[in-house]
Structure formats: structure tokens, C-alpha cells
Amino acid sequence: DTEVTQTPKHLVMGMTNKKSLKCEQHMGHRAMYWYKQKAKKPPELMFVYSYEKLSINESVPSRFSPECPNSSLLNLHLHALQPEDSALYLCASSQADGPGYTGELFFGEGSRLTVL
Amino acid sequence: DAKTTQPNSMESNEEEPVHLPCNHSTISGTDYIHWYRQLPSQGPEYVIHGLTSNVNNRMASLAIAEDRKSSTLILHRATLRDAAVYYCILRDEGEGTNAGKSTFGDGTTLTVKP
């Protein structure tokens, strides 16, 4: 199984809602990532988890809250978002080798978020 | 963070080779050069990666300059299914504070003409 599965594929939420994006992989990867992609732009790194611990936060606003409950799951909790947060949110995973990271990134198909 | 520079767009004829260039003059010693491609409404798909030596796989070849400040992705025979945005990425596979970071360039949109 070489898939990264993201749910939901589409999400529409109001600025006062609380919602979550979910990501799952069963490749035994110990590094997981959240990226944000605006239309016609490259993906931008948001968070990196290594061995279920947050290792990189690219100065992401606190209205985005990541969580890695176990080695196969990665969540992104959303609260009080703004319309400009509307984007495609991509999850990825890769092998980790101690404090380092190796090999290719496996991406999911993304969750398209619209904030009204 | 190290950056990559790619042409905005390129065109190719079907069944001809395509050479996609990427400049990464500020590459560090622990950065691997990765290439991914992305079709509309899909996540990026891995193509190939390397550190110093040229690499070949079933999808493509990667030619890396001796000083590592540039690289070229080579698709040997372009097909219509190869039309996509191609991203050249530097991925820090070391153990420092930037370990795990992957910096995407703006990408090259490849159009393949029949």
C-alpha cells in the first residue's frame, strides 16, 4: 500500500466553525507533513512531524492546529479561519532515519478547503 | 532556505525528448534534488531524486551539474500523459534544524503537443 489518504476531499466551512482534516498512511513512514497550496502556486510547507513529534512549524497561525495521534495518522484542526485560508491542503509522508529524513515524499490528493 | 528557479513553461512534441532545467545556486551539502510533477486537482507525484551523481529510473533521468548548482530532468520520450507542472525541489535530508524541509520552486508547466 503506497497511498496517502486524505479526508474529506472537499470542505466548506464558515469563519466560526471548527473542523478537521485527516490524513492516513500505512507505509510505516515516521515523517508526515502538511502543505498548503493556493491556486497556480507551488505547495508551501506548514508543519513537519517526525516520530509523532512536531519538528517544524513554518510560523503558521494558531488557527491551524496539527496533531499526530499515532504513526499512521495526521490531523489538521481548523478554527476561526479566514477566507484567505481557502486552499488545497496536502498531506505527505516519507521515511525518517533518526533525526534525518530520507527518500521521496508521498502525497495525498489533498483536501480542498473553502472558507466562507 | 535554498531556492530553485525554473522556466515558467515549456513545450514539447509527443515522442520527443524533453529537458527541464532547474537552477539552485544556494544548495547546501545536505540538500537532495527532487523532482515532482502535479496534474490538475491531484497531489504532487514523485519523479526522481539525487544528490551528486546522475540518476535514472523508469520515468526519467536526472542530470546534476558537477558543482550541484543546477540540474536537468530528462523525459526521454514525452507522451501526452506527461503534460503537468514539474517542480524542482531541494529537500534537506540532513540532521540539522532544517531537516525535513522541502522548498518548492514555482514549477514549469510542460505542454506536450501531439
Side-chain angles (χ1 to χ4, degrees), chain A residues 33 35 37 41-43 45 48 55-56 58 88 90 94-95 97 99-110 112, chain B residues 1 34 36 38 41-46 49 87 91-102 104-107:
Chain A
Y33 311 76
Y35 285 84
Q37 186 175 28
K41 295 291 187 182
L45 183 65
V48 180
S55 61
I56 294 177
E58 291 285 74
L88 181 69
L90 293 160
S94 77
Q95 294 177 351
D97 181 13
Y101 300 77
T102 63
E104 67 200 80
L105 291 165
F106 289 79
F107 283 88
E109 296 210 346
R112 187 163 299 282
Chain B
D1 296 340
H34 285 235
Y36 292 78
Q38 188 174 25
S41 301
Q42 293 189 20
E45 174 191 27
Y46 169 79
H49 78 286
Y87 291 106
R91 176 160 159 74
D92 190 323
E93 299 194 20
E95 299 178 0
T97 55
N98 287 328
K101 280 193 177 183
S102 298
F104 278 69
D106 287 337

Side-chain angles (χ1 to χ4, degrees), chain A residues 14-68:
Chain A
M15 289 188 286
T16 59
N17 292 157
K18 286 186 180 180
K19 297 285 185 183
S20 297
L21 305 179
K22 296 184 187 300
C23 174
E24 190 168 4
Q25 57 86 16
H26 295 289
M27 293 177 278
H29 291 167
R30 302 306 295 273
M32 298 186 77
Y33 311 76
W34 280 115
Y35 285 84
K36 173 182 177 180
Q37 186 175 28
K38 303 282 277 184
K40 299 191 184 301
K41 295 291 187 182
E44 297 177 5
L45 183 65
M46 301 175 70
F47 303 104
V48 180
Y49 272 83
S50 174
Y51 293 88
E52 296 87 68
K53 293 191 187 311
L54 183 65
S55 61
I56 294 177
N57 176 342
E58 291 285 74
S59 303
V60 178
S62 59
R63 57 185 184 269
F64 295 92
S65 176
E67 178 197 22
C68 190

Side-chain angles (χ1 to χ4, degrees), chain A residues 7-8 11 13 18-22 67 75-78:
Chain A
T7 56
L11 178 63
M13 61 185 292
K18 286 186 180 180
K19 297 285 185 183
S20 297
L21 305 179
K22 296 184 187 300
E67 178 197 22
N75 297 321
L76 186 63
H77 302 298
L78 314 170

Side-chain angles (χ1 to χ4, degrees), chain B residues 35-85:
Chain B
W35 284 80
Y36 292 78
R37 67 184 186 183
Q38 188 174 25
L39 297 169
S41 301
Q42 293 189 20
E45 174 191 27
Y46 169 79
V47 177
I48 199 166
H49 78 286
L51 181 63
T52 57
S53 303
N54 294 345
V55 184
N56 300 297
N57 68 19
R58 65 174 179 80
M59 290 182 72
S61 296
L62 176 60
I64 301 173
E66 194 169 337
D67 63 5
R68 301 211 321 129
K69 293 185 177 181
S70 66
S71 61
T72 302
L73 177 70
I74 303 164
L75 306 179
H76 295 287
R77 291 179 69 226
T79 70
L80 296 178
R81 291 183 298 175
D82 291 324
V85 178

